[in-house]
CSV table of all heavy atoms in Angstrom, one decimal:
chain,number,residue,atom,x,y,z
N,845,SER,N,-24.8,40.1,-71.4
N,845,SER,CA,-25.9,40.8,-70.8
N,845,SER,C,-25.9,40.8,-69.4
N,845,SER,O,-25.0,40.3,-68.6
N,845,SER,CB,-27.2,40.4,-71.4
N,845,SER,OG,-27.4,39.1,-70.6
N,846,ASN,N,-26.8,41.5,-68.6
N,846,ASN,CA,-27.0,41.6,-67.2
N,846,ASN,C,-27.0,40.2,-66.7
N,846,ASN,O,-26.8,39.9,-65.5
N,846,ASN,CB,-28.3,42.4,-66.8
N,846,ASN,CG,-28.1,43.8,-67.2
N,846,ASN,OD1,-27.0,44.3,-67.4
N,846,ASN,ND2,-29.2,44.6,-67.2
N,847,VAL,N,-27.6,39.1,-67.5
N,847,VAL,CA,-27.7,37.8,-67.0
N,847,VAL,C,-26.3,37.4,-66.6
N,847,VAL,O,-26.1,36.5,-65.7
N,847,VAL,CB,-28.4,36.8,-68.1
N,847,VAL,CG1,-28.4,35.5,-67.6
N,847,VAL,CG2,-29.8,37.5,-68.3
N,848,ALA,N,-25.3,37.9,-67.4
N,848,ALA,CA,-23.9,37.4,-67.1
N,848,ALA,C,-23.6,37.8,-65.7
N,848,ALA,O,-22.9,36.9,-65.0
N,848,ALA,CB,-22.9,38.0,-68.1
N,849,ALA,N,-24.0,38.8,-65.2
N,849,ALA,CA,-23.5,39.2,-63.7
N,849,ALA,C,-24.2,38.3,-62.8
N,849,ALA,O,-23.6,37.9,-61.8
N,849,ALA,CB,-24.0,40.7,-63.6
N,850,GLU,N,-25.5,38.0,-63.0
N,850,GLU,CA,-26.1,37.0,-62.2
N,850,GLU,C,-25.4,35.6,-62.1
N,850,GLU,O,-25.3,35.0,-61.2
N,850,GLU,CB,-27.6,36.9,-62.6
N,850,GLU,CG,-28.4,38.2,-62.5
N,850,GLU,CD,-29.8,38.1,-63.0
N,850,GLU,OE1,-30.3,36.9,-63.3
N,850,GLU,OE2,-30.4,39.2,-63.3
N,851,ILE,N,-25.1,35.2,-63.3
N,851,ILE,CA,-24.5,33.9,-63.5
N,851,ILE,C,-23.1,33.9,-62.7
N,851,ILE,O,-22.8,33.0,-62.0
N,851,ILE,CB,-24.3,33.4,-65.0
N,851,ILE,CG1,-25.7,33.2,-65.6
N,851,ILE,CG2,-23.4,32.3,-65.1
N,851,ILE,CD1,-25.7,32.9,-66.9
N,852,MET,N,-22.3,34.9,-62.8
N,852,MET,CA,-21.1,35.1,-62.2
N,852,MET,C,-21.3,35.0,-60.7
N,852,MET,O,-20.5,34.3,-60.0
N,852,MET,CB,-20.4,36.3,-62.7
N,852,MET,CG,-19.7,36.4,-63.9
N,852,MET,SD,-19.0,37.9,-64.3
N,852,MET,CE,-18.2,37.6,-65.8
N,853,GLN,N,-22.2,35.7,-60.2
N,853,GLN,CA,-22.4,35.7,-58.8
N,853,GLN,C,-22.8,34.3,-58.3
N,853,GLN,O,-22.2,33.8,-57.3
N,853,GLN,CB,-23.6,36.7,-58.5
N,853,GLN,CG,-23.8,36.8,-56.9
N,853,GLN,CD,-24.8,37.9,-56.7
N,853,GLN,OE1,-25.4,38.5,-57.6
N,853,GLN,NE2,-25.0,38.1,-55.4
N,854,MET,N,-23.5,33.6,-59.1
N,854,MET,CA,-23.9,32.2,-58.7
N,854,MET,C,-22.6,31.2,-58.8
N,854,MET,O,-22.3,30.4,-58.0
N,854,MET,CB,-25.1,31.6,-59.6
N,854,MET,CG,-26.3,32.3,-59.5
N,854,MET,SD,-27.6,31.7,-60.6
N,854,MET,CE,-27.6,29.9,-60.2
N,855,ALA,N,-21.9,31.4,-59.9
N,855,ALA,CA,-20.8,30.6,-60.2
N,855,ALA,C,-19.7,30.7,-59.0
N,855,ALA,O,-19.1,29.7,-58.7
N,855,ALA,CB,-20.0,30.9,-61.5
N,856,ARG,N,-19.6,32.0,-58.5
N,856,ARG,CA,-18.5,32.1,-57.4
N,856,ARG,C,-18.9,31.5,-56.1
N,856,ARG,O,-18.1,31.5,-55.2
N,856,ARG,CB,-18.3,33.6,-57.4
N,856,ARG,CG,-17.6,34.3,-58.5
N,856,ARG,CD,-17.1,35.7,-58.0
N,856,ARG,NE,-16.7,36.2,-59.4
N,856,ARG,CZ,-17.5,37.1,-60.0
N,856,ARG,NH1,-18.6,37.5,-59.5
N,856,ARG,NH2,-17.0,37.8,-61.1
N,857,THR,N,-20.2,31.0,-56.0
N,857,THR,CA,-20.5,30.3,-54.9
N,857,THR,C,-20.0,29.0,-54.6
N,857,THR,O,-20.1,28.2,-53.7
N,857,THR,CB,-22.1,30.3,-54.5
N,857,THR,OG1,-22.6,29.4,-55.7
N,857,THR,CG2,-22.7,31.6,-54.7
N,858,TYR,N,-19.4,28.4,-55.8
N,858,TYR,CA,-18.8,27.1,-55.9
N,858,TYR,C,-17.4,27.2,-55.7
N,858,TYR,O,-16.6,27.7,-56.6
N,858,TYR,CB,-19.3,26.5,-57.3
N,858,TYR,CG,-20.7,26.2,-57.3
N,858,TYR,CD1,-21.5,27.1,-58.1
N,858,TYR,CD2,-21.4,25.2,-56.7
N,858,TYR,CE1,-22.8,26.9,-58.2
N,858,TYR,CE2,-22.7,24.9,-57.0
N,858,TYR,CZ,-23.4,25.8,-57.7
N,858,TYR,OH,-24.9,25.6,-57.8
N,859,PRO,N,-16.9,26.6,-54.7
N,859,PRO,CA,-15.4,26.7,-54.4
N,859,PRO,C,-14.5,26.2,-55.4
N,859,PRO,O,-13.3,26.7,-55.5
N,859,PRO,CB,-15.2,25.8,-53.1
N,859,PRO,CG,-16.5,25.7,-52.5
N,859,PRO,CD,-17.5,25.8,-53.7
N,860,SER,N,-14.9,25.2,-56.3
N,860,SER,CA,-14.1,24.8,-57.4
N,860,SER,C,-13.8,25.7,-58.5
N,860,SER,O,-12.8,25.4,-59.2
N,860,SER,CB,-14.6,23.4,-57.8
N,860,SER,OG,-16.0,23.6,-58.6
N,861,VAL,N,-14.7,26.7,-58.6
N,861,VAL,CA,-14.6,27.6,-59.8
N,861,VAL,C,-13.3,28.5,-59.6
N,861,VAL,O,-13.3,29.3,-58.7
N,861,VAL,CB,-15.8,28.3,-60.1
N,861,VAL,CG1,-15.6,29.4,-61.1
N,861,VAL,CG2,-17.0,27.4,-60.5
N,862,LYS,N,-12.4,28.5,-60.4
N,862,LYS,CA,-11.2,29.2,-60.3
N,862,LYS,C,-11.2,30.4,-61.4
N,862,LYS,O,-10.4,31.3,-61.3
N,862,LYS,CB,-9.9,28.4,-60.5
N,862,LYS,CG,-9.8,27.1,-59.5
N,862,LYS,CD,-9.9,27.7,-58.0
N,862,LYS,CE,-9.9,26.5,-57.1
N,862,LYS,NZ,-10.2,27.0,-55.6
N,863,GLN,N,-11.9,30.1,-62.6
N,863,GLN,CA,-11.8,31.1,-63.6
N,863,GLN,C,-13.0,31.1,-64.4
N,863,GLN,O,-13.8,30.2,-64.5
N,863,GLN,CB,-10.6,30.6,-64.6
N,863,GLN,CG,-10.3,31.7,-65.6
N,863,GLN,CD,-9.7,33.1,-65.0
N,863,GLN,OE1,-10.5,33.8,-64.8
N,863,GLN,NE2,-8.4,33.1,-64.8
N,864,ILE,N,-13.4,32.5,-64.7
N,864,ILE,CA,-14.7,32.7,-65.4
N,864,ILE,C,-14.2,33.5,-66.9
N,864,ILE,O,-13.5,34.4,-66.7
N,864,ILE,CB,-15.6,33.5,-64.8
N,864,ILE,CG1,-16.1,32.7,-63.4
N,864,ILE,CG2,-16.8,33.8,-65.5
N,864,ILE,CD1,-16.9,33.6,-62.6
N,865,PHE,N,-14.6,33.0,-67.9
N,865,PHE,CA,-14.3,33.6,-69.2
N,865,PHE,C,-15.7,33.9,-69.9
N,865,PHE,O,-16.6,33.2,-69.7
N,865,PHE,CB,-13.6,32.5,-70.1
N,865,PHE,CG,-12.2,32.1,-69.7
N,865,PHE,CD1,-11.9,30.9,-69.3
N,865,PHE,CD2,-11.2,32.9,-69.7
N,865,PHE,CE1,-10.7,30.4,-68.9
N,865,PHE,CE2,-9.8,32.7,-69.4
N,865,PHE,CZ,-9.7,31.4,-68.8
N,866,PHE,N,-15.6,34.8,-70.9
N,866,PHE,CA,-16.7,35.1,-71.9
N,866,PHE,C,-16.3,34.3,-73.0
N,866,PHE,O,-15.2,34.1,-73.3
N,866,PHE,CB,-16.8,36.6,-72.1
N,866,PHE,CG,-17.2,37.4,-71.0
N,866,PHE,CD1,-16.3,38.1,-70.2
N,866,PHE,CD2,-18.7,37.5,-70.7
N,866,PHE,CE1,-16.7,38.8,-69.1
N,866,PHE,CE2,-19.0,38.3,-69.7
N,866,PHE,CZ,-18.0,38.9,-68.9
N,867,ALA,N,-17.3,33.9,-73.8
N,867,ALA,CA,-17.0,33.0,-75.1
N,867,ALA,C,-16.2,33.8,-76.0
N,867,ALA,O,-15.3,33.2,-76.6
N,867,ALA,CB,-18.5,32.7,-75.8
N,868,GLY,N,-16.4,35.0,-76.0
N,868,GLY,CA,-15.6,35.9,-77.0
N,868,GLY,C,-14.1,36.1,-76.5
N,868,GLY,O,-13.4,36.4,-77.4
N,869,ASP,N,-13.8,35.6,-75.3
N,869,ASP,CA,-12.4,35.7,-74.9
N,869,ASP,C,-11.5,34.7,-75.9
N,869,ASP,O,-10.3,34.9,-76.0
N,869,ASP,CB,-12.2,35.2,-73.5
N,869,ASP,CG,-12.6,36.4,-72.5
N,869,ASP,OD1,-12.6,37.6,-72.9
N,869,ASP,OD2,-13.1,35.9,-71.3
N,870,LEU,N,-12.3,33.8,-76.5
N,870,LEU,CA,-11.5,32.9,-77.4
N,870,LEU,C,-10.9,33.6,-78.5
N,870,LEU,O,-10.1,33.0,-79.3
N,870,LEU,CB,-12.4,31.8,-77.8
N,870,LEU,CG,-12.9,30.7,-76.6
N,870,LEU,CD1,-13.9,29.8,-77.2
N,870,LEU,CD2,-11.7,30.0,-76.1
N,871,PHE,N,-11.3,34.7,-78.9
N,871,PHE,CA,-10.8,35.6,-79.9
N,871,PHE,C,-9.6,36.5,-79.4
N,871,PHE,O,-9.0,37.1,-80.2
N,871,PHE,CB,-11.9,36.5,-80.6
N,871,PHE,CG,-12.8,35.7,-81.5
N,871,PHE,CD1,-13.5,34.5,-81.2
N,871,PHE,CD2,-12.8,36.1,-82.8
N,871,PHE,CE1,-14.2,33.8,-82.0
N,871,PHE,CE2,-13.5,35.4,-83.7
N,871,PHE,CZ,-14.3,34.3,-83.3
N,872,ASP,N,-9.3,36.5,-78.2
N,872,ASP,CA,-8.1,37.1,-77.7
N,872,ASP,C,-6.9,36.5,-78.2
N,872,ASP,O,-6.6,35.3,-77.9
N,872,ASP,CB,-8.2,37.2,-76.1
N,872,ASP,CG,-7.0,38.0,-75.5
N,872,ASP,OD1,-6.2,38.4,-76.4
N,872,ASP,OD2,-7.0,38.0,-74.3
N,873,PRO,N,-6.0,37.1,-78.9
N,873,PRO,CA,-4.8,36.5,-79.4
N,873,PRO,C,-3.9,36.1,-78.3
N,873,PRO,O,-3.0,35.2,-78.6
N,873,PRO,CB,-4.1,37.7,-80.2
N,873,PRO,CG,-4.7,38.9,-79.8
N,873,PRO,CD,-6.2,38.6,-79.4
N,874,HIS,N,-4.1,36.6,-77.1
N,874,HIS,CA,-3.1,36.2,-76.0
N,874,HIS,C,-3.8,35.2,-75.0
N,874,HIS,O,-3.3,35.0,-74.0
N,874,HIS,CB,-2.8,37.5,-75.2
N,874,HIS,CG,-2.0,38.6,-76.0
N,874,HIS,ND1,-0.8,38.2,-76.6
N,874,HIS,CD2,-2.4,39.7,-76.4
N,874,HIS,CE1,-0.5,39.3,-77.3
N,874,HIS,NE2,-1.4,40.2,-77.2
N,875,PHE,N,-5.0,34.7,-75.5
N,875,PHE,CA,-5.8,33.7,-74.7
N,875,PHE,C,-4.9,32.5,-74.4
N,875,PHE,O,-4.1,32.0,-75.3
N,875,PHE,CB,-7.0,33.2,-75.3
N,875,PHE,CG,-7.9,32.3,-74.5
N,875,PHE,CD1,-8.9,33.0,-73.7
N,875,PHE,CD2,-7.8,31.0,-74.6
N,875,PHE,CE1,-9.7,32.0,-72.9
N,875,PHE,CE2,-8.6,30.1,-73.9
N,875,PHE,CZ,-9.5,30.7,-73.0
N,876,PRO,N,-4.9,31.9,-73.2
N,876,PRO,CA,-5.6,32.4,-72.0
N,876,PRO,C,-4.8,33.1,-71.1
N,876,PRO,O,-5.2,33.6,-70.0
N,876,PRO,CB,-6.1,31.1,-71.4
N,876,PRO,CG,-4.8,30.2,-71.6
N,876,PRO,CD,-4.4,30.4,-73.0
N,877,GLU,N,-3.4,33.4,-71.4
N,877,GLU,CA,-2.6,34.1,-70.5
N,877,GLU,C,-3.0,35.4,-70.0
N,877,GLU,O,-3.1,35.8,-68.9
N,877,GLU,CB,-1.3,34.2,-71.0
N,877,GLU,CG,-0.4,32.9,-71.2
N,877,GLU,CD,-0.8,32.2,-72.5
N,877,GLU,OE1,-1.7,32.7,-73.3
N,877,GLU,OE2,-0.4,31.1,-72.7
N,878,HIS,N,-3.5,36.2,-71.0
N,878,HIS,CA,-3.9,37.5,-70.6
N,878,HIS,C,-5.1,37.5,-69.7
N,878,HIS,O,-5.1,38.4,-68.8
N,878,HIS,CB,-4.4,38.3,-71.9
N,878,HIS,CG,-5.0,39.5,-71.7
N,878,HIS,ND1,-4.2,40.7,-71.3
N,878,HIS,CD2,-6.3,40.1,-71.9
N,878,HIS,CE1,-5.1,41.8,-71.2
N,878,HIS,NE2,-6.3,41.3,-71.5
N,879,VAL,N,-6.2,36.7,-70.0
N,879,VAL,CA,-7.2,36.6,-69.1
N,879,VAL,C,-7.0,36.2,-67.8
N,879,VAL,O,-7.5,36.5,-66.7
N,879,VAL,CB,-8.4,35.7,-69.8
N,879,VAL,CG1,-9.7,35.8,-69.1
N,879,VAL,CG2,-8.7,36.2,-71.2
N,880,ARG,N,-6.0,35.1,-67.7
N,880,ARG,CA,-5.6,34.7,-66.3
N,880,ARG,C,-5.1,35.9,-65.5
N,880,ARG,O,-5.2,35.8,-64.3
N,880,ARG,CB,-4.6,33.5,-66.5
N,880,ARG,CG,-5.2,32.2,-66.9
N,880,ARG,CD,-4.2,31.1,-66.8
N,880,ARG,NE,-4.7,29.8,-67.3
N,880,ARG,CZ,-4.1,29.0,-68.1
N,880,ARG,NH1,-3.0,29.3,-68.6
N,880,ARG,NH2,-4.7,27.8,-68.4
N,881,GLU,N,-4.4,36.8,-66.1
N,881,GLU,CA,-3.8,37.8,-65.3
N,881,GLU,C,-4.9,38.7,-64.8
N,881,GLU,O,-4.8,39.5,-63.8
N,881,GLU,CB,-2.9,38.6,-66.1
N,881,GLU,CG,-1.6,37.8,-66.5
N,881,GLU,CD,-0.7,38.6,-67.5
N,881,GLU,OE1,-1.1,39.7,-67.8
N,881,GLU,OE2,0.3,38.0,-68.0
N,882,ASN,N,-6.1,38.8,-65.4
N,882,ASN,CA,-7.2,39.6,-65.2
N,882,ASN,C,-8.5,38.8,-65.2
N,882,ASN,O,-9.3,39.1,-66.1
N,882,ASN,CB,-7.2,40.7,-66.2
N,882,ASN,CG,-6.1,41.7,-66.2
N,882,ASN,OD1,-5.8,42.5,-65.3
N,882,ASN,ND2,-5.1,41.5,-67.1
N,883,PRO,N,-8.7,38.0,-64.2
N,883,PRO,CA,-9.8,37.1,-64.2
N,883,PRO,C,-11.1,38.1,-64.1
N,883,PRO,O,-11.0,39.1,-63.6
N,883,PRO,CB,-9.6,36.3,-62.9
N,883,PRO,CG,-8.7,37.0,-62.0
N,883,PRO,CD,-7.8,37.8,-63.0
N,884,ALA,N,-12.2,37.5,-64.7
N,884,ALA,CA,-13.4,38.2,-64.7
N,884,ALA,C,-13.9,38.2,-63.2
N,884,ALA,O,-14.4,37.2,-62.8
N,884,ALA,CB,-14.3,37.6,-65.7
Side-chain angles (χ1 to χ4, degrees):
S845 71
N846 290 344
V847 175
E850 298 173 12
I851 293 174
M852 284 182 171
Q853 188 173 0
M854 293 176 63
R856 293 193 193 99
T857 64
Y858 296 99
S860 64
V861 174
K862 306 303 180 187
Q863 191 60 268
I864 300 175
F865 296 108
F866 293 95
D869 287 332
L870 294 171
F871 278 58
D872 180 357
H874 303 293
F875 183 90
E877 290 82 5
H878 173 72
V879 185
R880 279 187 182 137
E881 293 172 2
N882 297 282

